[in-house]
Structure formats: structure tokens, C-alpha cells
Amino acid sequence: MFVRCFARFAPVVALLGAVVSAPLQAQHERAVVRIETLGATAVTLPPNTVARDDFSQQSLQVTAGHRFIRQRGRTIVVVGAQWRSVRAALPGQKTALRADTMDAFTALNVLTADFTLVRRIGTRHSLVAVARPGLYGETFRVEGAAFVDRALSTRTTIGAGLSYASSFGAVLPIPLLHVVTRPTDRLTIDALLPSRADLWWSARKGLDVGVNASLAGAQYGIDGQARINGANALQLANATLGPQLRWAPRAGKLLLTADA
């Protein structure tokens, strides 16, 4: 185990499509590109171990989604895909057979299809279900989540549910708490705990500043020469906390965010 501190810069470009009103027509299109860089930091190794003594990571994530609406807006279906590639310099045992272990980078990839269903129930409740089948490294599996929201007022919605995912690095059933609230016209709190929490303050139209806490991880299946010390799976998760900035140019179709 090791403890690390890092800075992350993550530009995100989102392309938003036009809104149409016909049932089961494309309602919302979105494409996101996210780049993350985690600087090298020292790691704590077991005694008498010859291994890399630092850790660094870069990642590229591409997400695309297409939204459909039906039954007078009571049901929304989002179909999409996600690819996330992590290039990590991992601590690993140096052996005579793999003398380059200490200098090599390991490529970790996730490629999934994304299916999201939002179903409004009555005037106060909504059901949200997410399924994400795909390749996590060399392993195929299905991760997902489901929760029910209740609108407490026009400004506050709260919900609870369960996910089966590897956000913590290992595949686990994880209880979920969803909170969206606007205490004032300029302040918004949006959280899906324990995976993320965002606090946004609207400085002016098109410019928001805030604080983000997030958890990004996966359990990667590894095989062949990519195995580290014979392991057939690698568990990796990043927990981050820091400031963030969101800016929408006047054109209205692009969104740039940066966080650290």
C-alpha cells in the first residue's frame, strides 16, 4: 500500500446536440474527451523488496452518448460508449526474467457500452438504472447501478440505491446516496456518494467555480506478458479532492472544465 499526493489537470470538451420534441427522437447528444495527469510520487514498499519506488499515471477517456425520450417525457433512455486508457508506471518486483520491470509502463484499458434508463414515477419519484457491460482489461463483465430519487421540493432531490462496480478498484456492491440541491440561485450541490460530489458557484453566466471530490477506479483483468508477479488482476483507484472551474463559451456547444 502507498499514500500519494498529486495534481491533476483535466480539460473536458463536450459537444451538445440540438433538442427536438418528437417522441423517441434524439433529444441530447454528448461527446466528452478527458485527459488526466498524475505526477510521480513516492511509494512505500515491503522490506527487502527491489522494486520501483515511485508511481505515476496518465489517462485518456472518451465518452459518447445519445439520448432518446418517449411517453411524453416520462422515460429517457441514454445509449453510449466509453473508452478509458490508463498508462501507469506501477511498483513491481524486478526479476532476472523481466529486468525492465522498473522502467516499463503498463497500459490498462476499459471499453464499455453504457445504457441508462430514467423513468419518472408519479410526480415526485424517479427510477434510474445503469448497465455498463464491457472489457475491463482482459476481463468481460457487467457493472451497473440503480437508485430511486424523490423530489423533496423544487430545489432539492434525494435518492438511494445500490451499485455493483469497481470504483474502489475491487468489484464490490456499494450503497449509493444521490443528492441534488440548490440552496441559492447561484449555489448547486450535486453528489452521487461515494463516487463523486460537486459544489458549484455561478460567478456569472457561463462561468462556474467549485470544489470536486471524486473516486475513479477499476479492477483490470491482466493476462500473458502483462502480468505483474503472476497476478491475473490489477486493482487501481484514484481519490481526488480539489478546486474546479467550468466555462461555457458564448457559442453554447462547448464546455471546458479543469480541476486539480
Side-chain angles (χ1 to χ4, degrees), residues 33-221:
V33 176
R34 181 177 180 89
I35 301 170
E36 302 173 4
T37 298
L38 284 66
T41 189
V43 301
T44 301
L45 300 170
N48 303 319
T49 299
V50 179
R52 174 185 290 277
D53 59 0
D54 62 9
F55 173 88
S56 63
Q57 178 185 325
Q58 297 83 40
S59 66
L60 170 65
Q61 180 172 316
V62 179
T63 305
H66 198 79
R67 187 169 74 166
F68 300 91
I69 187 169
R70 60 182 301 177
Q71 296 182 5
R72 298 182 181 179
R74 299 185 68 87
T75 302
I76 296 174
V77 177
V78 181
V79 178
Q82 182 178 115
W83 171 63
R84 181 176 176 87
S85 180
V86 174
R87 184 174 181 265
L90 300 170
Q93 185 76 33
K94 183 177 180 180
T95 67
L97 294 178
R98 292 195 60 189
D100 62 339
T101 301
M102 293 181 67
D103 299 318
F105 283 85
T106 299
L108 306 167
N109 294 285
V110 171
L111 178 62
T112 65
D114 291 355
F115 303 97
T116 302
L117 170 70
V118 181
R119 173 67 177 175
R120 200 170 70 192
I121 304 171
T123 58
R124 287 182 173 266
H125 294 86
S126 297
L127 170 65
V128 181
V130 180
R132 186 167 287 171
L135 289 172
Y136 297 79
E138 303 291 332
T139 301
F140 177 85
R141 67 172 176 270
V142 180
E143 298 189 3
F147 57 91
V148 175
D149 274 344
R150 176 178 172 84
L152 302 182
S153 68
T154 56
R155 287 183 175 268
T156 301
T157 297
I158 189 168
L162 184 70
S163 72
Y164 179 74
S166 55
S167 300
F168 283 95
V171 183
L172 299 168
I174 304 170
L176 296 177
L177 177 64
H178 186 221
V179 179
V180 180
T181 183
R182 295 189 64 195
T184 70
D185 290 340
R186 290 198 168 194
L187 185 65
T188 302
I189 299 172
D190 184 359
L192 183 61
L193 302 174
S195 62
R196 64 166 181 83
D198 293 289
L199 185 150
W200 289 106
W201 181 73
S202 179
R204 60 177 177 83
K205 185 176 181 181
L207 179 64
D208 301 319
V209 295
V211 177
N212 166 264
S214 61
L215 183 69
Q219 177 173 305
Y220 303 89

Side-chain angles (χ1 to χ4, degrees), residues 10-16 30-35 61 63 253-257:
V12 179
V13 179
L15 178 65
L16 304 180
R30 189 172 186 233
V32 178
V33 176
R34 181 177 180 89
I35 301 170
Q61 180 172 316
T63 305
K253 292 187 177 181
L254 297 177
L255 180 67
L256 175 68
T257 70

Side-chain angles (χ1 to χ4, degrees), residues 218-235:
Q219 177 173 305
Y220 303 89
I222 54 178
D223 200 359
Q225 294 183 352
R227 290 193 176 191
I228 301 173
N229 297 338
N232 60 4
L234 188 147
Q235 300 172 341

